[in-house]
Amino acid sequence: MRHVFRRGNHLIARAARDRPDEPVAFMCECSSDGCFEKVTMTPSEFDSLAAAPARFVVFDGHEEQGGGEIVGDGPGYMVVEGWSDPCSDDRREVNAG
């Protein structure tokens, strides 16, 4: 599910491109299939963390689910690094097809 939320977050950031410094709601990218928590950050902040494929934004308290290292935080969220790229398998499938 994490790859679905990462893709959704990229779409949210793209839709808010004209307001890069205005906070918007993004989806938690933790490993729980039942998580639908939201985190608030600016599209610029999301783009910055998503530029590193192994970094994910998670709702505060969800950082321990994937075993990664906390490398940043903000109001109500943590940035975790060390989880695998949630889109890497899908990219290989798309490129192979």
Side-chain angles (χ1 to χ4, degrees), residues 21-80:
D21 298 317
E22 184 177 313
V24 296
F26 288 89
M27 297 174 276
C28 178
E29 297 175 338
C30 76
S31 60
S32 173
D33 288 345
C35 177
F36 295 99
E37 296 287 351
K38 302 289 188 270
V39 297
T40 302
M41 61 177 23
T42 68
S44 295
E45 290 169 329
F46 175 79
D47 287 341
S48 177
L49 80 88
R55 287 190 178 181
F56 303 93
V57 61
V58 298
F59 188 76
D60 194 14
H62 294 198
E63 63 275 4
E64 295 181 9
Q65 294 180 12
E69 176 184 350
I70 298 169
V71 295
D73 63 7
Y77 68 87
M78 298 284 183
V79 176
V80 179

